[in-house]
Amino acid sequence: MTRNTQTQGTIKILRHESEILKNNPLGDKYVRDLYVYLPPDYESETNANFPTVYCLTGFTGRGKMFLNDNAFAPNLAERLDKLTGNGTIRPMIVVLPDCFTYYGGSQYINSSATGNYEDYLTQEIVPFVDENFRTIRDKNSRAVMGKSSGGYGALVMAMRHADQFGLACSTAGDAYFEFCYFPGIAEGFRSIKGDPKALVEKFWREDARKSKDDFAALNTIGMSACYSPNPDSPLGFDLPFDLKTGEIRWDVWERWLEHDPVRLVEKTAENLKSLKLLYIDAGTRDEFFLDLGAKILCEKLKQFGVPFIHEEFDDGHMNIGYRQTRSLELISQNFGNEKLREVRI
Amino acid sequence: MTRNTQTQGTIKILRHESEILKNNPLGDKYVRDLYVYLPPDYESETNANFPTVYCLTGFTGRGKMFLNDNAFAPNLAERLDKLTGNGTIRPMIVVLPDCFTYYGGSQYINSSATGNYEDYLTQEIVPFVDENFRTIRDKNSRAVMGKSSGGYGALVMAMRHADQFGLACSTAGDAYFEFCYFPGIAEGFRSIKGDPKALVEKFWREDARKSKDDFAALNTIGMSACYSPNPDSPLGFDLPFDLKTGEIRWDVWERWLEHDPVRLVEKTAENLKSLKLLYIDAGTRDEFFLDLGAKILCEKLKQFGVPFIHEEFDDGHMNIGYRQTRSLELISQNFGNEKLREVRI
Amino acid sequence: MTRNTQTQGTIKILRHESEILKNNPLGDKYVRDLYVYLPPDYESETNANFPTVYCLTGFTGRGKMFLNDNAFAPNLAERLDKLTGNGTIRPMIVVLPDCFTYYGGSQYINSSATGNYEDYLTQEIVPFVDENFRTIRDKNSRAVMGKSSGGYGALVMAMRHADQFGLACSTAGDAYFEFCYFPGIAEGFRSIKGDPKALVEKFWREDARKSKDDFAALNTIGMSACYSPNPDSPLGFDLPFDLKTGEIRWDVWERWLEHDPVRLVEKTAENLKSLKLLYIDAGTRDEFFLDLGAKILCEKLKQFGVPFIHEEFDDGHMNIGYRQTRSLELISQNFGNEKLREVRI
Amino acid sequence: MTRNTQTQGTIKILRHESEILKNNPLGDKYVRDLYVYLPPDYESETNANFPTVYCLTGFTGRGKMFLNDNAFAPNLAERLDKLTGNGTIRPMIVVLPDCFTYYGGSQYINSSATGNYEDYLTQEIVPFVDENFRTIRDKNSRAVMGKSSGGYGALVMAMRHADQFGLACSTAGDAYFEFCYFPGIAEGFRSIKGDPKALVEKFWREDARKSKDDFAALNTIGMSACYSPNPDSPLGFDLPFDLKTGEIRWDVWERWLEHDPVRLVEKTAENLKSLKLLYIDAGTRDEFFLDLGAKILCEKLKQFGVPFIHEEFDDGHMNIGYRQTRSLELISQNFGNEKLREVRI
């Protein structure tokens, strides 16, 4: 944005040393910078505590990317400044965790092939934030939101950690793996050419041109590391296809499906019912068919009596940062309880 | 081709009235023109009998399209003239059946939703050709070849009608439905928008622009009519997905899989072993991953001890008519037996 | 079309030996088949004469391609049968000339690099048709129509041969060369790689994969042969760019522009004014911006007081055969004069 | 990068209030943050002065985007840390100016329609940097580099401000406007639909989907504001086409061409000859044909006896940040003179 100025929040960067990520199998960093947005009022209202939102990035992302500068659209901090400034949302602390890995991401879950990122987020980062900032330490004042794999992470938090996160928003979150991942397996097979390690290394050589198939391959490898880890396999995980012929390994695929939000609803319905907010949206042109995933997920939620809000918008999977506004708005409206309001006065 | 002229074969067009297609469920024509290519020598060598090749088109095609004129490439008749003229292949009769339907095709199989095209081809067209032309009436002198759905048809003929067709060539034949069809379901769901009839009608309105998703939809509908017919359903067939949410109907999908060449090998191995030629090729850039389908099919053939020839070429799914040359060459080399040679002398 | 049958016209194939094309510089055939569609009434009404339409194909096309079979759309003969049958158009003879060359086309003009196709069409084919069929030998009963380069050809005929062709329809005809050709020069430069001959040869090797840039290159080469021939150049024509650096050769480009319909209006306005019908249409998504070319051409026509009909439709450049119906309808309505009607009675 | 840590430079953010941009015609900010990278040694070597590189972004960019976080590739600061750390380049100060405007950019030149960004950069930012940091205030220790419009800016600085910038590197810099801009005019015309203001406003509505044509339109508008300003026009600039028909306005286009580096060589050859380094590269798949622009530019440089280094690489226009390494390496090798070395000791 070239034009507007307004009261600005503050970005704090805290160095956090993780016990859980120490000795992670990929040799990824265990000391990571945690970026946290504090609202404009934070410094002046020294007696106030604030609700908290955890924003999770998509695959190949990490928290600080939310602060990347963009020509015509605000980054997350600028968006928060604006929405807070014009009263659309109440002041809130926004946490931008880094769960990136050598394979492109962690899906915010534990895996012997990547590391225990679900534990890291819930057992280390949440307490760390609560220790370091004047948060409202209550699940109804702690939300999680994200897009794509970040939306998936938000769903996982809502399903398995509803005691910590009482509100969850998933934009184009990975769901119905048959549609969002399966078609990528054949594409990925071609570019993997029998050597998954070489494919990943190509992504770390910045001067190597990457094709559409290469991205499908990285995604398939990354998801395998998250969903079908196998300490006894040379790679540390099983791919859902035969490296030589491409034929699907259905046993491995079944292990993927156990992580599909559509299948997780049944086991986690009670947690989901306890949420103050469950918001699900996706674009009707989503290149990974995550609008269909959202629809099917919502059918399951209905079946199990879980309340939710579902919206669709006319767009694809990319360049939809503006949808953050809708999630933040709903989170802001649904935050809180009596105790919270007292704290604020 | 603007330049070459050579000895030319003759195209005969025979009107055939089908008993089997009479009263077909789609109201498609039961009187159809059968295009047949007779080799240059046919008229002069009045005592000779000739081997026969049945060429099957892909989805949305019918026999006479093999004769369509093309800027820089020969059509099938021109190709045959050239290959016969320069001695690459022996003179042969080439039959171009029309198994097109209102839904775009028949996969050359019987279905209560489209008609009994497998019977039509094997019980009506083959005898009709043998009656009308000096063919060698022997399975080892009768070949079938085709591309895409035509390759699928060739495989089906080899698997279930090896008593009629002793040689079969499949170029990018539909196989391993998980890769070649499954990804199209999600795409197709979007453009079907709950109304499969309207989607098909759109294809019959020539001034309606058709998107990539529309083609995926037509394909899904067409294959449903072939693979999962259901006389009790309003459409006459079951779609493999829920019309409202897009969720896969696994029971329907299983019915599709029963038609997958990869799954059919087991039941038809003895027939396949009896073939004089089973040739399978595909391009390594095939947009429907039919190169992977071919690979996986060949693995199954190996498992069941079926001999075959497998080749790959550096190209995609479209504009690969030049691959006909390779099939024709192999067919020509493998045609025949002692009896045949006597006939020729 | 699988369903309709109706009274059918007849296709006549006449072998024509051209004096004008004999010794053409590319060694292309000078004996060519001329495909002619005779209306259903032709044989029965033995005293009647019929108006004539010349249909010109686009680049890389030739007359008989209008008769190619198509899955869901009628070919030109089927379209004429239907339109005649239901009374939309009056019976007419439709001529499908072949002006294809080794470089992909002739633009229906004379060139020392390709041959004198403008003379061929106007001095040989038109008289040949009039000799062989019961045509109405009057410019007001002789129309020309076409798409893309065929639309260009129709415009050229209208501009320079209005004494022969009194009605002309151009669908997406090449016009405003800055938009339709210029952008292809840079693309083509890349795939030509300094060797235009090799590029063309690639098109004649049917097993060579052709890229989008290759097609741009062929088009640039083909148009150079038509618009900027040069007997003193090694190729027989000048390319509008420097073969080594790609820099535009403005002197050559100026020679191209002399052939742009937008520039030709001024010189040919009197001919254009004499037409009974000048119809121009294009799709608003035309990939070669020929809708803009049409708009700008129409501005010029207005400036010079030439009457015309201009229409736009919501489509691109490809798969728009259905627009033939509109041209044929307008031609049918505007054919004729008093003399003609007498003949018909 | 998840893995490496090394000695890190420091990012300084200086607020600069511009006299030159005050009252700029677009109401863009005149107080802007200037991001400056100081090398690791800067703080410790308190007596040392350092050479300086100005990095210019492409269209729709501004300096701080060089610091955006990226999954698999280093941002500019991380790249500099690494290259400095391993001795590939000497320590240098890197300045990241913000010359963004409401129309997407300024091309780093003066225009009555956007503002005087050339003056801003050379008369305000350079002195401001020299005042605030221990730079070596000598043209042979001051380089400019950039990609795309940033490469264009680097060329302009080299051509008109060789007294300030003694070294210049242009990666895929805008050149030979016929190839890089002209094809976008027709595309842009379509999406502008007669209303350039509305098109630009669409870019500032983050929830509006933008098509490929929209980007071509923004580019055409942005370049018009830079190259063909006109205070008497309602928009403040002239578009190079007729808003109603799309026809090129050649007088306006000529004004664009006056800004083409290929045309500027002649007038600025003496300045260019005075440079210590002029480096030009581009990818051979550049979607804007800037590899051809580079080639043609180099031909002109040869003609006028200007020394330069020209390289090509196998890539397109996007995701080529890794090419910064090559420019920085060459800059580092060519920096300096006797005086400089004394300062360093």
Side-chain angles (χ1 to χ4, degrees):
Chain A
M1 313 292 277
T2 61
R3 303 197 144 178
N4 299 317
T5 48
Q6 62 237 336
T7 326
Q8 288 182 347
T10 313
I11 303 297
K12 293 282 177 191
I13 309 176
L14 280 73
R15 182 141 296 199
H16 173 267
E17 186 170 332
S18 168
E19 281 304 312
I20 290 168
L21 298 188
K22 198 170 280 182
N23 303 319
N24 69 73
L26 294 173
D28 285 319
K29 288 189 302 184
Y30 66 95
V31 180
R32 298 189 182 203
D33 287 337
L34 181 69
Y35 285 70
V36 178
Y37 170 91
L38 300 178
D41 302 335
Y42 190 85
E43 302 298 341
S44 54
E45 297 193 27
T46 50
N47 291 324
N49 280 27
F50 295 85
T52 318
V53 186
Y54 289 73
C55 281
L56 309 183
T57 63
F59 191 62
T60 73
R62 63 188 147 203
K64 66 175 160 174
M65 287 184 191
F66 281 117
L67 305 178
N68 278 356
D69 190 43
N70 193 326
F72 296 105
N75 66 20
L76 182 56
E78 291 161 343
R79 184 181 312 280
L80 289 164
D81 287 345
K82 191 177 151 197
L83 295 175
T84 315
N86 66 21
T88 303
I89 60 168
R90 46 187 294 189
M92 45 180 85
I93 294 167
V94 180
V95 184
L96 311 177
D98 174 359
C99 297
F100 188 57
T101 75
Y102 178 69
Y103 290 144
S106 64
Q107 296 297 93
Y108 306 95
I109 65 176
N110 295 338
S111 159
S112 65
T114 59
N116 291 341
Y117 285 88
E118 188 169 339
D119 293 348
Y120 168 66
L121 190 55
T122 56
Q123 296 173 19
E124 290 191 336
I125 295 301
V126 171
F128 181 72
V129 167
D130 283 346
E131 277 159 35
N132 281 278
F133 299 101
R134 278 177 279 115
T135 59
I136 302 172
R137 299 178 193 190
D138 181 282
K139 66 176 178 173
N140 290 337
S141 295
R142 194 182 292 111
V144 60
M145 63 181 268
K147 187 200 114 180
S148 199
S149 288
Y152 177 82
L155 292 171
V156 165
M157 292 302 129
M159 287 170 159
R160 291 204 284 255
H161 304 281
D163 56 324
Q164 289 186 300
F165 298 97
L167 308 91
C169 297
S170 164
T171 293
D174 298 8
Y176 208 63
F177 291 180
E178 285 88 349
F179 285 172
C180 68
Y181 297 144
F182 196 93
I185 294 178
E187 295 171 336
F189 172 77
R190 279 201 183 134
S191 81
I192 289 175
K193 293 189 185 73
D195 191 346
K197 256 188 88 189
L199 189 283
V200 178
E201 280 161 9
K202 186 177 180 180
F203 273 83
W204 287 101
R205 285 201 317 277
E206 56 164 344
D207 59 349
R209 281 191 306 123
K210 287 100 190 173
S211 70
K212 194 171 162 288
D213 279 359
D214 289 339
F215 279 95
L218 182 73
N219 198 61
T220 300
I221 291 169
M223 296 307 130
S224 297
C226 297
Y227 299 145
S228 48
N230 178 358
D232 298 333
S233 140
L235 289 161
F237 58 86
D238 294 323
L239 287 163
F241 59 88
D242 184 280
L243 261 180
K244 206 178 129 217
T245 64
E247 195 170 3
I248 297 295
R249 292 179 55 188
W250 293 109
D251 57 327
V252 177
W253 179 248
E254 281 301 320
R255 286 158 62 199
W256 283 43
L257 290 184
E258 286 168 25
H259 292 278
D260 188 339
V262 167
R263 274 79 177 183
L264 288 172
V265 169
E266 184 169 3
K267 296 178 200 162
T268 61
E270 291 317 304
N271 274 352
L272 290 169
K273 283 182 197 170
S274 76
L275 297 174
K276 286 208 68 179
L277 171 69
L278 177 57
Y279 174 68
I280 291 162
D281 64 358
T284 54
R285 304 167 189 259
D286 191 288
E287 288 83 354
F288 301 96
F289 307 107
L290 292 166
D291 53 328
L292 307 191
K295 259 194 176 118
I296 295 167
L297 176 59
C298 290
E299 284 299 310
K300 292 285 174 246
L301 293 172
K302 263 189 228 169
Q303 271 177 40
F304 288 90
V306 178
F308 63 90
I309 303 172
H310 176 224
E311 290 180 6
E312 294 191 328
F313 51 89
D314 177 27
D315 214 328
H317 193 72
M318 309 311 289
N319 302 316
I320 53 170
Y322 63 90
R323 293 297 305 180
Q324 293 164 354
T325 295
R326 182 67 181 131
S327 286
L328 289 166
E329 203 173 41
L330 283 167
I331 286 170
S332 179
Q333 289 163 11
N334 287 282
F335 260 144
N337 49 30
E338 299 316 303
K339 186 155 146 280
L340 164 70
R341 291 203 189 93
E342 285 167 40
V343 169
R344 293 280 306 160
I345 295 165
Chain B
M1 313 291 277
T2 62
R3 304 196 144 180
N4 300 318
T5 47
Q6 61 237 336
T7 325
Q8 287 183 348
T10 313
I11 303 297
K12 293 282 177 192
I13 309 176
L14 280 73
R15 182 141 297 199
H16 173 268
E17 186 170 333
S18 169
E19 281 304 312
I20 289 169
L21 297 188
K22 198 172 279 181
N23 304 318
N24 70 71
L26 294 173
D28 285 319
K29 290 188 301 185
Y30 67 93
V31 181
R32 301 190 179 201
D33 287 339
L34 182 69
Y35 286 69
V36 178
Y37 170 93
L38 300 178
D41 302 334
Y42 190 86
E43 302 298 341
S44 54
E45 297 192 29
T46 51
N47 291 323
N49 280 27
F50 295 86
T52 319
V53 186
Y54 288 73
C55 281
L56 308 182
T57 63
F59 191 62
T60 74
R62 63 188 148 206
K64 67 174 157 174
M65 286 185 193
F66 282 118
L67 306 177
N68 278 354
D69 190 42
N70 193 325
F72 297 105
N75 66 19
L76 182 57
E78 292 161 342
R79 183 182 312 280
L80 289 164
D81 288 345
K82 191 177 151 197
L83 295 175
T84 316
N86 65 22
T88 305
I89 61 169
R90 45 188 293 188
M92 44 180 87
I93 294 167
V94 180
V95 184
L96 311 177
D98 173 359
C99 296
F100 189 55
T101 75
Y102 178 69
Y103 291 144
S106 65
Q107 297 297 96
Y108 307 94
I109 64 175
N110 295 339
S111 158
S112 65
T114 57
N116 289 342
Y117 286 87
E118 187 168 339
D119 292 350
Y120 167 67
L121 190 55
T122 55
Q123 297 173 20
E124 290 192 335
I125 296 300
V126 171
F128 182 75
V129 168
D130 283 346
E131 278 158 33
N132 281 277
F133 300 100
R134 279 178 276 116
T135 58
I136 303 171
R137 301 180 192 187
D138 182 281
K139 65 174 179 174
N140 290 336
S141 295
R142 195 182 293 111
V144 60
M145 63 180 268
K147 185 202 118 181
S148 197
S149 287
Y152 177 83
L155 292 171
V156 165
M157 292 302 130
M159 286 170 160
R160 292 205 283 255
H161 305 280
D163 56 324
Q164 289 187 301
F165 298 98
L167 308 91
C169 298
S170 165
T171 293
D174 299 6
Y176 208 62
F177 290 0
E178 286 87 347
F179 285 171
C180 69
Y181 297 144
F182 196 92
I185 294 178
E187 294 171 338
F189 172 77
R190 280 205 183 131
S191 83
I192 289 175
K193 292 189 185 72
D195 191 346
K197 257 188 87 189
L199 188 280
V200 178
E201 281 160 10
K202 186 176 180 179
F203 273 84
W204 287 101
R205 286 201 315 279
E206 57 164 342
D207 60 348
R209 281 190 305 124
K210 287 100 189 170
S211 69
K212 194 172 162 288
D213 279 359
D214 289 340
F215 280 95
L218 183 74
N219 198 61
T220 300
I221 291 169
M223 295 308 130
S224 296
C226 296
Y227 299 144
S228 49
N230 178 359
D232 299 331
S233 142
L235 289 162
F237 58 84
D238 294 321
L239 287 164
F241 58 89
D242 184 277
L243 260 180
K244 206 179 127 216
T245 64
E247 195 171 3
I248 296 297
R249 292 178 56 187
W250 294 110
D251 57 327
V252 178
W253 179 248
E254 280 302 319
R255 286 157 64 199
W256 283 42
L257 289 185
E258 286 168 23
H259 293 277
D260 187 340
V262 168
R263 273 80 177 182
L264 289 171
V265 169
E266 183 170 4
K267 296 177 199 162
T268 61
E270 290 317 304
N271 275 351
L272 290 169
K273 283 182 196 169
S274 77
L275 298 173
K276 286 208 67 178
L277 171 69
L278 176 57
Y279 174 66
I280 290 162
D281 65 357
T284 53
R285 303 167 190 259
D286 191 288
E287 289 82 354
F288 301 96
F289 307 107
L290 292 166
D291 53 328
L292 307 192
K295 259 195 178 118
I296 295 166
L297 176 59
C298 290
E299 283 298 311
K300 292 285 174 245
L301 293 171
K302 262 188 228 167
Q303 270 177 40
F304 289 90
V306 178
F308 62 92
I309 302 173
H310 176 225
E311 291 181 4
E312 294 192 328
F313 50 90
D314 178 26
D315 214 329
H317 192 72
M318 310 309 290
N319 302 317
I320 52 171
Y322 62 90
R323 293 298 305 181
Q324 294 164 354
T325 296
R326 181 69 180 131
S327 285
L328 289 166
E329 202 174 40
L330 284 167
I331 285 170
S332 178
Q333 289 164 9
N334 288 281
F335 260 144
N337 49 30
E338 299 316 305
K339 188 156 145 279
L340 164 71
R341 292 204 190 92
E342 286 166 39
V343 169
R344 294 279 306 161
I345 296 163
Chain C
M1 312 293 275
T2 60
R3 307 198 141 178
N4 300 314
T5 47
Q6 62 237 334
T7 327
Q8 289 183 346
T10 314
I11 303 296
K12 295 281 178 191
I13 309 176
L14 281 73
R15 183 141 295 201
H16 173 269
E17 185 168 334
S18 168
E19 282 304 312
I20 289 169
L21 297 188
K22 198 171 280 181
N23 305 317
N24 68 74
L26 294 173
D28 285 317
K29 290 189 301 186
Y30 67 94
V31 181
R32 301 189 180 202
D33 287 339
L34 182 69
Y35 286 70
V36 178
Y37 170 93
L38 301 178
D41 303 334
Y42 191 86
E43 301 298 340
S44 55
E45 297 192 27
T46 51
N47 291 322
N49 280 27
F50 295 85
T52 318
V53 187
Y54 288 74
C55 281
L56 310 182
T57 62
F59 191 62
T60 73
R62 63 189 147 205
K64 65 174 157 173
M65 286 186 193
F66 281 118
L67 305 177
N68 278 356
D69 189 41
N70 192 326
F72 297 104
N75 67 19
L76 182 56
E78 291 161 342
R79 184 183 310 282
L80 288 164
D81 287 346
K82 190 178 151 197
L83 295 175
T84 315
N86 65 20
T88 304
I89 61 168
R90 46 187 295 187
M92 44 181 86
I93 294 166
V94 179
V95 183
L96 311 178
D98 173 359
C99 296
F100 188 56
T101 74
Y102 177 68
Y103 291 144
S106 65
Q107 297 299 92
Y108 307 94
I109 65 176
N110 296 337
S111 159
S112 64
T114 58
N116 290 341
Y117 286 86
E118 188 169 340
D119 292 350
Y120 167 67
L121 188 55
T122 56
Q123 297 173 20
E124 291 192 334
I125 296 300
V126 171
F128 182 72
V129 167
D130 284 346
E131 277 158 32
N132 281 278
F133 300 99
R134 279 177 279 112
T135 59
I136 302 172
R137 303 181 190 187
D138 181 281
K139 66 174 181 175
N140 290 336
S141 296
R142 195 182 292 111
V144 61
M145 63 181 267
K147 186 201 115 180
S148 197
S149 287
Y152 177 83
L155 292 171
V156 165
M157 292 302 131
M159 286 170 160
R160 292 205 283 255
H161 305 280
D163 55 323
Q164 290 186 300
F165 298 97
L167 307 90
C169 297
S170 163
T171 293
D174 299 7
Y176 208 61
F177 291 181
E178 286 86 350
F179 286 171
C180 68
Y181 297 145
F182 197 91
I185 294 177
E187 295 172 335
F189 172 76
R190 279 203 185 134
S191 81
I192 289 174
K193 291 189 186 72
D195 190 347
K197 257 188 89 190
L199 188 282
V200 178
E201 281 161 9
K202 185 177 180 178
F203 273 83
W204 287 101
R205 284 200 318 275
E206 56 165 342
D207 60 349
R209 281 190 305 124
K210 288 99 189 171
S211 70
K212 193 171 164 287
D213 279 0
D214 289 340
F215 280 93
L218 182 74
N219 198 61
T220 299
I221 291 169
M223 296 308 131
S224 297
C226 296
Y227 299 144
S228 48
N230 179 358
D232 299 332
S233 139
L235 289 161
F237 57 85
D238 294 322
L239 287 163
F241 58 89
D242 184 280
L243 261 181
K244 205 178 129 218
T245 65
E247 195 170 7
I248 297 294
R249 292 178 55 187
W250 294 109
D251 57 326
V252 177
W253 179 248
E254 280 302 319
R255 286 157 63 200
W256 283 42
L257 289 184
E258 285 168 24
H259 293 277
D260 188 340
V262 167
R263 274 78 179 185
L264 289 171
V265 169
E266 182 169 5
K267 295 177 199 161
T268 61
E270 290 317 305
N271 275 351
L272 290 169
K273 283 183 198 171
S274 77
L275 298 173
K276 286 208 68 181
L277 171 69
L278 176 57
Y279 174 66
I280 290 162
D281 65 0
T284 53
R285 303 167 190 259
D286 192 287
E287 289 82 354
F288 301 96
F289 307 106
L290 293 166
D291 53 328
L292 307 192
K295 258 193 178 122
I296 295 167
L297 175 59
C298 291
E299 283 298 310
K300 291 286 173 246
L301 294 171
K302 262 188 227 168
Q303 270 176 42
F304 288 89
V306 178
F308 63 91
I309 302 173
H310 176 225
E311 290 180 4
E312 294 191 330
F313 51 91
D314 177 27
D315 215 328
H317 193 72
M318 309 310 289
N319 302 315
I320 54 171
Y322 63 89
R323 294 298 305 181
Q324 293 164 355
T325 296
R326 182 69 181 131
S327 285
L328 289 166
E329 202 175 41
L330 284 167
I331 285 169
S332 178
Q333 288 164 10
N334 288 281
F335 260 145
N337 49 31
E338 299 316 306
K339 187 156 147 281
L340 164 70
R341 289 198 192 97
E342 288 168 38
V343 169
R344 294 278 307 160
I345 295 164
Chain D
M1 311 292 275
T2 60
R3 304 195 144 180
N4 299 316
T5 46
Q6 62 237 336
T7 324
Q8 288 182 348
T10 312
I11 303 297
K12 294 282 177 190
I13 310 176
L14 281 74
R15 183 140 294 199
H16 174 266
E17 186 169 333
S18 168
E19 279 305 311
I20 290 168
L21 298 187
K22 198 171 279 182
N23 304 317
N24 70 72
L26 293 172
D28 286 318
K29 290 189 300 187
Y30 66 94
V31 181
R32 302 190 178 200
D33 287 338
L34 182 69
Y35 286 69
V36 178
Y37 169 92
L38 301 179
D41 303 336
Y42 190 86
E43 301 299 340
S44 54
E45 298 192 27
T46 50
N47 291 323
N49 280 27
F50 294 86
T52 317
V53 186
Y54 288 74
C55 279
L56 309 183
T57 64
F59 192 60
T60 75
R62 62 188 149 205
K64 65 174 158 173
M65 287 186 192
F66 281 118
L67 306 178
N68 279 355
D69 190 42
N70 193 325
F72 296 105
N75 67 20
L76 182 56
E78 292 161 342
R79 184 181 311 281
L80 289 164
D81 287 345
K82 190 177 151 195
L83 295 175
T84 316
N86 65 20
T88 305
I89 61 168
R90 47 187 291 188
M92 44 180 87
I93 294 166
V94 179
V95 183
L96 312 177
D98 173 359
C99 296
F100 188 56
T101 75
Y102 177 70
Y103 291 144
S106 64
Q107 297 297 93
Y108 307 94
I109 65 175
N110 295 338
S111 159
S112 65
T114 57
N116 291 340
Y117 286 86
E118 187 169 340
D119 293 349
Y120 167 67
L121 189 55
T122 55
Q123 296 173 20
E124 290 191 336
I125 295 301
V126 171
F128 182 73
V129 167
D130 284 346
E131 277 159 34
N132 280 278
F133 300 100
R134 278 177 278 116
T135 59
I136 302 172
R137 302 181 191 187
D138 182 281
K139 65 175 181 175
N140 290 337
S141 296
R142 194 182 293 111
V144 60
M145 65 180 267
K147 185 201 119 180
S148 198
S149 287
Y152 177 83
L155 292 170
V156 165
M157 292 303 129
M159 286 169 160
R160 291 205 284 255
H161 304 280
D163 56 325
Q164 290 187 299
F165 298 97
L167 308 91
C169 298
S170 165
T171 293
D174 299 7
Y176 207 63
F177 291 0
E178 286 87 349
F179 285 172
C180 67
Y181 296 144
F182 197 92
I185 293 177
E187 295 172 335
F189 172 77
R190 279 203 184 134
S191 81
I192 289 176
K193 293 188 183 74
D195 191 347
K197 256 187 88 190
L199 188 283
V200 178
E201 281 160 10
K202 185 177 181 178
F203 273 84
W204 287 101
R205 285 200 317 278
E206 56 164 344
D207 59 349
R209 281 191 305 124
K210 288 100 190 171
S211 69
K212 193 170 163 288
D213 279 0
D214 289 340
F215 279 94
L218 182 74
N219 197 61
T220 300
I221 292 169
M223 296 308 131
S224 297
C226 297
Y227 299 145
S228 49
N230 177 358
D232 298 333
S233 142
L235 289 162
F237 58 85
D238 294 323
L239 287 163
F241 59 88
D242 184 280
L243 260 180
K244 206 177 128 219
T245 64
E247 194 170 5
I248 297 295
R249 293 179 56 188
W250 294 109
D251 56 327
V252 177
W253 179 249
E254 281 300 321
R255 286 157 62 201
W256 283 43
L257 289 184
E258 286 168 22
H259 293 277
D260 188 339
V262 167
R263 275 78 178 185
L264 288 172
V265 169
E266 183 170 4
K267 295 178 199 160
T268 61
E270 291 316 305
N271 275 350
L272 290 170
K273 284 183 197 170
S274 77
L275 297 173
K276 286 207 69 178
L277 170 69
L278 177 56
Y279 174 67
I280 290 162
D281 65 358
T284 53
R285 303 167 190 259
D286 192 286
E287 289 83 354
F288 301 96
F289 308 106
L290 292 166
D291 53 327
L292 307 192
K295 258 194 179 120
I296 296 167
L297 176 59
C298 290
E299 283 298 310
K300 292 286 175 245
L301 293 171
K302 262 189 227 166
Q303 269 176 40
F304 288 91
V306 177
F308 62 91
I309 302 172
H310 176 224
E311 290 180 5
E312 294 192 330
F313 50 91
D314 177 27
D315 214 328
H317 193 71
M318 310 309 290
N319 303 315
I320 52 170
Y322 64 87
R323 294 298 304 180
Q324 292 163 355
T325 296
R326 181 69 181 130
S327 285
L328 288 166
E329 203 174 42
L330 284 167
I331 286 170
S332 179
Q333 289 163 10
N334 288 281
F335 260 145
N337 49 30
E338 297 317 306
K339 189 157 145 278
L340 164 70
R341 293 204 187 93
E342 285 168 38
V343 170
R344 293 280 307 160
I345 296 162

